[in-house]
Amino acid sequence: MAASTGPYTLPPLPYAYNALEPVISQQIMDLHHKKHHQTYVNNLNAALASQAKATQSNDISALVSLLQKIKFNGGGHINHSLFWENLTPPDSDASKLETAAPTLHKAIVSRWGSEQAFKDTFSDTLLGLQGSGWGWLVSRGNGGKLDITTTKDQDPVTAPEVPIFGVDMWEHAYYLQYLNNKGGYVSQIWRVINWAVAEERYKHGIDSSKTFKPAM
Ligand SMILES: [Fe+2]
């Protein structure tokens, strides 16, 4: 694997590659983290280096053509960094919404009526997503109004919305294990959502300088 040369680096997983089994296989986690996420990081760094050169030489045409690369690969880096952190081994303490995230649990029940109603609505949204993209629980500012939203491809959630947790709905996130059974992946994902992390994000937001730019 080529070492990253730019300012962004692949953050280590906060658990072992097999820690999410049987919900997400070690094979998927290996490829998803070491290959897919690493490629977003490498391509982001390459695009940023080209951008610096194009800025120096006042090459506006090159700058415009780089925007999409930076958006796609920067979004891929942001989304996957958030995703690894918002997962936890199946049925661990952090996976229990009511006890791991009491404040968020209250807000969810107040918004959707019950935990189950929220999960049903979120699952329907994930399954309704066409093509590649992400499903998110977001709040409008810290501790704000909750909503379920989707983003296409690698578009990230942007301010003023705060991403509480996301679910990767690209085929690379589930296909090797679940094949075309997207519903199986969606129904199992609830066992590995890290509600302790979600509670932190809901109350305090996300520190981008730490989350997406780990210490060198
Ligand atoms: Fe992914």
Side-chain angles (χ1 to χ4, degrees):
M1 185 192 314
S4 155
T5 53
Y8 293 98
T9 53
L10 183 69
L13 284 184
Y15 34 72
Y17 283 93
N18 65 359
L20 303 183
E21 290 194 343
V23 175
I24 304 176
S25 70
Q26 176 167 358
Q27 184 189 27
I28 286 180
M29 291 303 291
D30 261 331
L31 288 166
H32 202 173
H33 182 256
K34 294 178 191 166
K35 303 292 182 189
H36 290 279
H37 190 171
Q38 182 71 62
T39 301
Y40 295 123
V41 169
N42 293 348
N43 289 343
L44 172 62
N45 289 333
L48 290 174
S50 301
Q51 185 190 47
K53 273 188 208 156
T55 300
Q56 267 188 343
S57 58
N58 290 315
D59 187 345
I60 186 68
S61 166
L63 283 171
V64 169
S65 79
L66 284 163
L67 291 178
Q68 180 54 27
K69 272 186 194 162
I70 292 170
K71 183 181 180 190
F72 182 78
N73 293 290
H77 178 45
I78 289 170
N79 291 342
H80 288 86
S81 299
L82 292 170
F83 185 53
W84 310 134
E85 294 283 342
N86 73 223
L87 298 178
T88 186
D91 312 317
S92 58
D93 288 349
S95 74
K96 315 282 189 243
L97 169 56
E98 191 166 357
T99 46
T103 307
L104 182 56
H105 176 254
K106 241 184 240 175
I108 283 175
V109 171
S110 146
R111 174 81 171 80
W112 284 280
S114 69
E115 177 179 340
Q116 194 54 52
F118 159 71
K119 287 181 174 174
D120 290 346
T121 308
F122 195 101
S123 298
D124 287 347
T125 303
L126 293 178
L127 292 172
L129 217 164
Q130 293 183 333
S132 296
W134 292 75
W136 301 94
L137 174 65
V138 299
S139 71
R140 197 161 179 90
N142 294 353
K145 181 174 177 285
L146 292 171
D147 251 319
I148 294 167
T149 191
T150 60
T151 56
K152 289 294 287 174
D153 299 324
Q154 292 298 357
D155 290 354
V157 171
T158 51
E161 288 185 333
V162 177
I164 307 300
F165 73 88
V167 176
D168 191 342
M169 291 305 292
W170 282 57
E171 283 191 346
H172 68 226
Y174 63 86
Y175 201 85
L176 282 171
Q177 184 177 356
Y178 292 89
L179 303 178
N180 62 330
N181 182 16
K182 202 192 275 195
Y185 169 64
V186 167
S187 72
Q188 288 297 302
I189 199 74
W190 296 110
R191 293 175 61 195
V192 295
I193 295 297
N194 190 327
W195 290 106
V197 165
E199 174 91 338
E200 265 308 293
R201 290 180 187 167
Y202 181 57
K203 285 159 73 172
H204 305 298
I206 286 163
D207 182 347
S208 292
S209 66
K210 288 188 183 145
T211 309
F212 313 124
K213 196 173 178 182
M216 306 294 277

